[in-house]
Amino acid sequence: MNRFEILKKNKWRYISFIIGFLLLVSPFALLIRLEFWITGNLAEPSIHYACLRMPIGWIFRGAVNYLISRPEMTAFIIGVLGLSLFLGPIFCGWLCPVGAVSEAISRIIPLPNKFRIHIKDTNITSALRYGFFAGYITIYILIGLKLSGDWIGSICCRFCASTILQNLAAGIFGWLLPTYGSIEYWGTASIIVLISWLIIGGIFTYGGRGWCLFFCPLGAFSNLLYKVGAKLGFYRITYNKDKCSHCKKCNLVCPMWAIKSDHSVETALCINCKECVNICPTGALTMKWGKENATK
Amino acid sequence: MRYIWAFILAASVAPITYLFSIPCGFSCAQCPLGGICILAYPLIFLGVIIIKFIRKIKSLISKIA
Ligand code: SF4
Ligand code: SF4
């Protein structure tokens, strides 16, 4: 299957990415606009108000009162995490503009795969990913216990790929909305993040999802819930070894390195993008509901 | 065992990196490096590519010789 066929087979996912961009990133930010219209918020909408990292931080540092005072963020995080439990991390796989942009850049730039980072052992990838997640939670517990000042938490936007994306979008599309012109938190940290997200995580990482795999706490949290949901029999990807011809096509297309050496799927990494389902020539990989064959 | 080490490595590197890069978060060039770190990533990657390239040339030469 060539690139155009893959593109055609997965066209709904790519269209969905464009919708995700329009829903979340300013000057469009249509979903945030709707939320602000409902709640009567007069601020200029941007992806900051759909921050998925801060509420996770609030939960882990015990600042539950913030969850009540920022209902738009709370609603968003509950929506994304709830979806992950019942339908898998479809926000990551189908809507997230940060993952979409790095994945797109990785596909557009034809760098030979031998120059790309690709860990084939799903256990190592999971260990690194959840190790980072544990480190991230540690920082929030330290902040929560007041062992460090609140100021550590206050600068995290400078290390956020969504902020960089928002800045890039403001530069490109800002003219569409003259009231929106803010380029925030631009400094060395932003450049480090830009390079980690798009150059190392995008161009130099197989599949272009290096940022999502190793640095996104929401992605890691969503996948943990997906793992639980898959065990409970909610919507998930399943592998039928009797149908598999071991052609390895699924390994080649998976942007999250989630296919194990026996071609079954590691739900701690999979984002339910269905690229593998669409390319599998024998139908060994399918999406399923129900208790039958729930992953162990 | 190596999975546990990978987990511990990532778990310890994440907060340390964050704490060390706090000056970058506040304002550019506030640390003793004065902003030169911008060059660090491209230089590391250039180094990796050069090393790979040299290895390839060496293996080619050894094949010919
Ligand atoms: S693409 Fe399908 S048949 Fe090929 S290795 Fe993967 S699961 Fe097996
Ligand atoms: S295993 Fe399949 S559905 Fe999951 S991330 Fe990889 S390609 Fe997408």
Side-chain angles (χ1 to χ4, degrees), chain A residues 3-260:
Chain A
R3 271 170 192 237
F4 286 105
E5 276 175 288
I6 291 176
L7 213 68
K8 216 168 129 187
K9 282 241 175 200
N10 296 287
K11 62 178 179 296
W12 290 115
R13 189 163 91 94
Y14 307 136
I15 291 169
S16 175
F17 278 143
I18 296 169
I19 294 171
F21 187 88
L22 295 175
L23 286 178
L24 297 169
V25 183
S26 206
F28 312 102
L30 301 175
L31 183 66
I32 323 288
R33 274 178 205 285
L34 179 69
E35 275 186 11
F36 278 14
W37 180 70
I38 293 169
T39 55
N41 192 332
L42 296 175
E44 184 57 53
S46 81
I47 203 166
H48 290 293
Y49 296 93
C51 179
L52 299 159
R53 184 209 53 77
M54 280 203 278
I56 295 180
W58 296 335
I59 294 167
F60 282 98
R61 62 193 267 208
V64 183
N65 53 323
Y66 285 160
L67 291 172
I68 297 159
S69 63
R70 302 302 296 269
E72 76 283 0
M73 284 190 187
T74 308
F76 207 72
I77 190 92
I78 289 174
V80 169
L81 294 178
L83 274 179
S84 301
L85 180 67
F86 295 109
L87 299 176
I90 54 168
F91 175 80
C92 306
W94 290 73
L95 282 172
C96 176
V98 170
V101 170
S102 65
E103 205 183 307
I105 283 195
S106 146
R107 284 173 196 224
I108 290 164
I109 296 183
L111 186 76
N113 285 337
K114 63 184 170 196
F115 291 121
R116 289 187 157 141
I117 305 160
H118 189 184
I119 301 171
K120 295 196 175 120
D121 184 336
T122 50
N123 289 332
I124 289 276
T125 312
S126 303
L128 290 171
R129 183 181 208 207
Y130 291 97
F132 175 82
F133 186 58
Y136 169 86
I137 299 303
T138 306
I139 290 211
Y140 267 94
I141 291 172
L142 287 180
I143 295 171
L145 293 175
K146 302 280 179 212
L147 294 181
S148 59
D150 244 5
W151 49 275
I152 291 185
S154 70
I155 61 161
C156 45
C157 298
R158 292 148 174 88
F159 295 90
C160 177
S162 302
T163 304
I164 312 295
L165 174 67
Q166 183 62 85
N167 285 345
L168 295 175
I172 298 168
F173 302 109
W175 55 274
L176 285 172
L177 193 71
T179 53
Y180 184 80
S182 84
I183 303 257
E184 295 172 84
Y185 312 123
W186 195 252
T188 318
S190 324
I191 294 165
I192 294 171
V193 171
L194 185 65
I195 293 170
S196 309
W197 165 45
L198 287 187
I199 305 207
I200 299 179
I203 300 168
F204 283 97
T205 296
Y206 191 90
R209 288 257 179 180
W211 182 270
C212 317
L213 271 168
F214 300 114
F215 302 127
C216 179
L218 177 79
F221 202 176
S222 300
N223 265 108
L224 282 180
L225 290 170
Y226 179 35
K227 204 160 174 79
V228 174
K231 278 182 206 259
L232 295 174
F234 296 136
Y235 192 65
R236 68 197 178 275
I237 191 161
T238 53
Y239 167 69
N240 183 341
K241 72 172 186 298
D242 298 330
K243 283 189 179 174
C244 178
S245 64
H246 303 282
C247 66
K248 294 190 177 171
K249 286 184 178 174
C250 50
N251 294 73
L252 294 176
V253 293
C254 178
M256 292 294 284
W257 313 346
I259 310 277
K260 297 183 198 170

Side-chain angles (χ1 to χ4, degrees), chain A residues 237 250 253-259 265 269-277:
Chain A
I237 191 161
C250 50
V253 293
C254 178
M256 292 294 284
W257 313 346
I259 310 277
V265 174
L269 299 171
C270 170
I271 50 173
N272 267 4
C273 67
K274 289 172 76 176
E275 296 255 346
C276 58
V277 174

